[in-house]
Amino acid sequence: MSGDVQPRKRKDKRRKRDDDESSHGVHITKMGNEDLHLHVHHDHGTGGHWCAKIIFFALMAVLLGLVGLIIMENRGLEDLDTPLSESRFSKVFDGWVDEHRDEHDGHDVQEPSGEALDDHDEHDDHDDHDDHEEEEPLSEELEEELEEEEQPTEEDEPEADEEEEEEDEDEENNAGENITAEDAEEEEEEEEDKDDEGTVEATVEATTEATTEATGEYDAEEDEEDEPAADDDAVESTEAPQSEAEEQEDEEEQEFEESVEPPRSQSAAQSSPATDTNDDDDEDEDQDKKDADDGDDDDFESLDQQFENDVDDTEPANPVESQEQDGDQDDEEEPKEEASSWLASQIKPKEAAAAPAEKEDPFEQELRKANEEMIRENYAQALRSFNTLTTNFAHEPSAHLGRARVLELLAKKERSNQRLWEAIDAYKRYLAFGELVASNKEFKTAGESCIENLRFLGHHRQATTIHELLIQRLPKDPRLRNQLSLTYLMVNNLQQVEKVALETLKLWPTNAVAQLHYGLALRQFHADYAKALPYLKYAVESQEEGTQEAFFYLSLGETMQRLSMKSEALEVYRKGVTKGFFASLYQRSLYNEPRLRAQPFWQPKETSYERQLERLTLNWRAIRDEGLALLGRSGFFEDEAELLRDKGVWQQYELYAQGRRVKDNCRRAPITCSLMEEFPESAGCRRGQVKFSVMQAQTHVWPHCGPTNCRLRAHLTLVAPEPERTSLRVAEQERTWREGELFIFDDSFEHEVWHNGSQPRLVLILDMWHPQLTTAQRRSLSPI
């Protein structure tokens, strides 16, 4: 823009105002009881204070001219290490801007000096005088740049047209207002002069503040850089010839492409973004420091990174020398410093601003809240949260896993089998995701929890399906195979126990748990005690995990007893007592309640069931007749299920099992069952039986213990022709059977039976709850 642009625009504006006033004339409007003359000020042209805009656009033209000169001087130079992609101007200046700012280090980025501000004031004062003195001509280069800037103003012209149209509309709308031509012109010129002065002052203050903020922010970043290193780099870069510089650039380009490490030197704005809370303090400190050291020759690095890059020989070799050479051109360089400061404040890496925290995934956020509720044992709220998650995010396995866990905890707290079934179902849904579950550990843990719950509820067949699923996913884990054989063992499926254990031993021959299970199958399924003993002994003595259970010690001891190794068996039982597996050397039941009275034999009055037992004793003959009638019919008595018989024949006829009436059998023995209905502590004992038991002559039952200490067992003798040739040993005490008599013993103690007579022995066996068990305990104990 040339120097005579502003006077020309001022004349055009005044001419247009005179035309408008001549067309509108003077308008007088009646307002109330007297005439009031209203003076309305109209802004013409582009709107606002036109003098301020002229100054602003003049400054902008100077700055743009400087930018253009910088671009033209440095075109073709590039620095391969400069992270232009981090700047919003990277694509615009790609290949044009040399980010090595050594040639500018000599210019301190400072506030505009007092002389510069005076120049602005003088320039503005010239514009305000009525004589419209001509401004000083600008340099030829600046005039050329300003002419180039004036030509491509297609974007600004429509805005000016729109503003002129708005002014015309305002003038038409205000046609009824009262003004005079002469007064309006004089008052308007006076107001314009005042506005121009205020605008100039505001513009200078705004420019000063912007420059101060830019230099203060620049100083805050400069303090974090290593200034001596920058000086060394600048000196080294100027000493290298131009040809060597090109070779060095090629080498650096190759190294940059091969390297995966970040640049070795970064600006403070890129490496450590400034926090908002310290910006103002830093700027104030930097400003005070700059005011105090206004005459110092400090070197400042570029806002962008400094890199080792050669510069032209025509540029000064030392930043300090460059500053001294430019000392005589202060008036010309101060606008350049101001332009550099403004450009530096505009071109900043995006990393300078604190990056917003990554938004947490909604599912992860809700899952975390639900888990926190579960940790705080607020299971009801946690369950509601997990129900919502499984509904809204049904495809997320972890939602189903969390729901299964909280349901399992609720089941234990509420002692609810229904809750436990819900937990099992949730575990199954989680396991159904299969390979979508990334963690083998979580998958395995969930499967084992599901198996444990199914075992507790007695659904071992469903548990085997989960076992096979785990083995399929983790085929190299012997523990999973051993758990499968254990589940088969719990349901006494000895054939499958032997099969699975043998397959495991083929893969891991020395696995102690597999040897244990294989030995148990040989002992109980094939009754091959001699072959089973070494497997059982190796496993128990290995002390490995999975071999130290009461049942395994009991099985090893009983195997030794059946091989006539009584002393060795007692030693195994003593180790079991030491480990807490057994209550005593002879009381070796596995399902026990603590602090119950324990003794081998009991008297009826000690049980609190004396009346019921006496009634049964009085009716022993009627009971005997029903038993003999059943014994005389083929197919009613069945062999004992347990492998306790050494030799002979031992059979039973059940009337009640696990607290439930066997209807068909009771229909054949109505008298006995009616008497038992009057004895609910026995008929409803879910850990016992009521049955007729017949033992033929020459029968021997191995030493064994009952499964639980929660019951007492009574024998009502119906037929015992040879009492001297039959005996029952409980611990270290012995008894025999006599017709019409009843005795009570605790079958959790080791007991053994001999029948060396020649005729059958028939008794009514009835189990009853231990008298010290409470009603709540009797309801809650699982059946056996």
Side-chain angles (χ1 to χ4, degrees), residues 565-579:
M565 302 169 62
K566 185 175 181 180
S567 61
E568 291 88 342
L570 291 177
E571 185 61 28
V572 172
Y573 296 146
R574 286 191 181 94
K575 290 181 180 179
V577 174
T578 303
K579 289 180 174 292

Side-chain angles (χ1 to χ4, degrees), residues 92 101 157 247 307 442 587:
V92 176
R101 296 288 298 277
E157 292 177 0
E247 296 176 359
F307 297 91
E442 285 189 356
Q587 190 181 21

Side-chain angles (χ1 to χ4, degrees), residues 24 45 231 256 282 295 355 489 537 543 556 586 616 640 733 757:
H24 289 291
D231 294 338
F256 177 79
D282 293 342
L489 184 64
K537 187 177 180 181
Q543 302 287 317
L556 176 59
Y586 287 106
L616 288 172
E640 285 281 353
Q733 302 179 33

Side-chain angles (χ1 to χ4, degrees), residues 376-517:
R376 288 195 290 264
E377 297 185 2
N378 189 2
Y379 300 137
Q381 179 60 39
L383 180 60
R384 286 192 289 269
S385 299
F386 279 116
N387 286 338
T388 302
L389 283 171
T390 54
T391 301
N392 298 336
F393 303 94
H395 61 285
E396 293 288 350
S398 53
H400 297 277
L401 178 61
R403 183 172 180 270
R405 288 173 175 170
V406 72
L407 283 169
E408 187 175 19
L409 294 171
L410 270 175
K412 293 178 180 179
K413 180 179 179 180
E414 299 174 358
R415 302 181 69 88
S416 170
N417 288 345
Q418 179 61 34
R419 288 288 193 193
L420 197 58
W421 273 117
E422 293 177 5
I424 292 171
D425 182 67
Y427 275 124
K428 288 181 178 179
R429 290 178 182 272
Y430 170 77
L431 295 172
F433 282 94
E435 296 299 329
L436 296 178
V437 178
S439 174
N440 287 336
K441 183 178 180 181
E442 285 189 356
F443 191 87
K444 178 182 175 181
T445 303
E448 289 176 342
S449 298
C450 186
I451 289 169
E452 183 179 355
N453 295 329
L454 287 169
R455 284 175 177 172
F456 176 79
L457 295 174
H459 291 262
H460 298 83
R461 182 175 296 178
Q462 292 187 35
T464 59
T465 304
I466 308 300
H467 281 300
E468 293 170 354
L469 186 64
L470 294 178
I471 293 172
Q472 183 180 1
R473 175 153 182 160
L474 301 169
K476 295 183 179 180
D477 189 347
R479 185 176 179 276
L480 298 179
R481 297 177 184 269
N482 291 333
Q483 285 295 315
L484 175 59
S485 59
L486 179 61
T487 298
Y488 282 126
L489 184 64
M490 294 174 70
V491 294
N492 205 33
N493 190 345
L494 299 174
Q495 186 175 2
Q496 287 296 324
V497 172
E498 180 183 14
K499 178 183 177 182
V500 175
L502 191 58
E503 291 175 352
T504 306
L505 287 174
K506 289 179 180 179
L507 298 173
W508 298 279
T510 60
N511 186 275
V513 178
Q515 291 205 29
L516 175 66
H517 293 170

